[in-house]
Amino acid sequence: MTWHKDRGPGERRGYHHGNLREALVEAALTLIREKGPAGFTFAEAARAAGVSPAAPYRHYRDRDALIADVARRGFEAFAATLAAAWNEGRPTAREAFNRVGAAYLAFAGKEPAYFAAMFESGLSLADHPDVRAEGDRAFAILREACEAVIATLPADRRPPPLMMALHIWSLSHGTAALFARGDSSRRPIPMSPEELLEAAVLIYLDGLGGR
């Protein structure tokens, strides 16, 4: 992991000599929480980190490179979270599969700044292959979980693993997005995100004969 082993990816660290990169990442996370991933400049990130406008160029060529580093770290933590929830499909594929969905929602709720950098920054993945690689690693865990569940379905009702992974990703991400706004502009939803996702996945699997 790229952060201190005793801290979560969203916890603050103080700036000191030799820790400029970490200070800039923390400043970017704070600004993302306040303004969104596209709502601040490189100079604002430097100011929030308490350094000169020129200092960030020691580590990042521009603001997008800083955001890309935040997104990469986010995907790295996200993949670790999903892998721990999956736990190689133990004790059963279906139980572990449900844990992966809950972990997806938990990460989105606990780390909104990382989540925004990962999915809302508008970065070109072609320009940032390290971000793409970490994102692919996270998605691979979801696909592995889908493959295990597919193996439990009737032989004539088994969808292609990639298609199912994309469907479950859409359900999970859509549910996380619905609950991302905590203000009065959000349409009232009479259930928790976990309940909503669990019901949606149950209906999806029931349609495949997986009850």
Side-chain angles (χ1 to χ4, degrees):
M1 307 296 278
T2 54
W3 42 81
H4 192 285
K5 66 179 180 179
D6 296 325
R7 298 186 178 97
E11 296 181 57
R12 293 190 60 80
R13 291 169 288 274
Y15 171 70
H16 58 81
H17 181 69
N19 199 30
L20 174 59
R21 185 188 295 272
E22 299 303 316
L24 289 167
V25 167
E26 288 299 327
L29 286 167
T30 297
L31 290 167
I32 291 170
R33 282 190 287 269
E34 294 173 354
K35 302 181 178 184
F40 63 93
T41 66
F42 208 24
E44 286 178 292
R47 186 162 56 250
V51 298
S52 71
Y57 291 99
R58 298 176 195 171
H59 294 292
Y60 302 106
R61 69 176 183 274
D62 55 23
R63 194 193 71 94
D64 279 357
L66 171 58
I67 296 296
D69 194 18
V70 174
R72 179 191 60 78
R73 292 169 184 236
F75 275 120
E76 184 181 351
F78 188 48
T81 297
L82 296 184
W86 174 236
N87 192 27
E88 298 182 348
R90 293 189 289 261
T92 69
R94 286 292 293 272
E95 289 180 61
F97 183 75
N98 289 336
R99 288 199 308 267
V100 170
Y104 195 114
L105 298 180
F107 186 90
K110 182 181 177 182
E111 301 291 351
Y114 274 106
F115 208 69
M118 292 155 58
F119 293 110
E120 300 171 16
S121 61
L123 292 172
S124 167
L125 295 182
D127 293 337
H128 302 284
D130 53 341
V131 178
R132 184 186 201 111
E134 291 298 332
D136 287 348
R137 193 161 67 90
F139 185 76
I141 296 165
L142 177 58
R143 177 167 176 161
E144 179 184 344
C146 289
E147 289 173 345
V149 170
I150 287 170
T152 70
L153 299 174
D156 62 340
R157 304 294 294 275
R158 295 176 181 175
L162 177 58
M163 184 181 77
M164 181 174 173
L166 290 171
H167 288 166
I168 297 301
W169 176 38
S170 298
L171 287 172
S172 303
H173 200 83
T175 300
L178 279 174
F179 286 85
R181 294 187 64 92
D183 56 35
S184 58
S185 66
R186 189 187 75 189
R187 181 181 179 85
I189 301 174
M191 60 182 69
S192 70
E194 294 78 15
E195 291 170 334
L196 182 60
L197 179 59
E198 183 179 357
V201 171
L202 180 63
I203 292 169
Y204 180 87
L205 292 177
D206 194 44
L208 296 172
R211 182 177 290 275

